[in-house]
Amino acid sequence: MNVQSWTLQEILLFSNNVDMFNQEQQLFFFKLLLKSLPHYQSYNRAVPVYASLLANLLPTLFRKQEWADISQALGWLEELSKEFTSSFFRIVFLYYSGLFAICQGDTIAGEKKVL
């Protein structure tokens, strides 16, 4: 299975069924798929697909305490959720960025984002 050749539909299928994979497989596919994100970033149909992928994988990243991957995922989610059509993903970004700040010891800033 060559992840780099997945279509947007296959990426969406994985994103929506990510919990069917164990955490190690989720992280493996996440890291491979993240490499293709810059190529699709300006393609309007790809934005919700990749935003869904990031939103669905963030809980796993937090459970595994993959801080560098969380930071990278949040950076991409922030970028992908700038348009008004992506407001749901903006809310997801704000929540997880607040949770990330709390986990990193910045409780006050984190609570401001989460609450």
Side-chain angles (χ1 to χ4, degrees):
M1 174 183 332
N2 187 357
V3 175
Q4 287 85 5
S5 66
W6 281 7
T7 64
L8 284 177
Q9 191 63 33
E10 290 166 326
I11 295 169
L12 183 61
L13 180 65
F14 169 70
S15 173
N16 290 335
N17 295 291
V18 73
D19 289 328
M20 297 180 74
F21 296 87
N22 67 46
Q23 291 180 352
E24 287 74 28
Q25 290 171 326
Q26 290 177 32
L27 293 175
F28 174 76
F29 288 126
F30 164 72
K31 290 177 182 182
L32 289 177
L33 289 171
L34 206 57
K35 293 177 184 176
S36 64
L37 179 54
H39 303 293
Y40 285 107
Q41 181 179 353
S42 61
Y43 184 48
N44 287 340
R45 291 185 57 208
V47 169
V49 171
Y50 275 94
S52 294
L53 174 68
L54 295 167
N56 290 333
L57 280 169
L58 276 165
T60 298
L61 295 173
F62 273 96
R63 279 192 297 272
K64 299 283 284 178
Q65 298 181 0
E66 298 284 342
W67 307 121
D69 290 334
I70 292 169
S71 180
Q72 187 178 21
L74 287 173
W76 277 113
L77 192 56
E78 179 180 26
E79 185 66 32
L80 294 174
S81 65
K82 287 186 175 178
E83 296 295 323
F84 74 94
T85 56
S86 301
S87 58
F88 170 76
F89 296 113
R90 182 53 115 189
I91 293 168
V92 170
F93 161 74
L94 291 172
Y95 173 78
Y96 281 115
S97 63
L99 184 60
F100 183 61
I102 291 169
C103 290
Q104 298 299 303
D106 194 355
T107 307
I108 296 170
E111 287 179 352
K112 285 181 181 178
K113 290 183 179 183
V114 173
L115 300 177

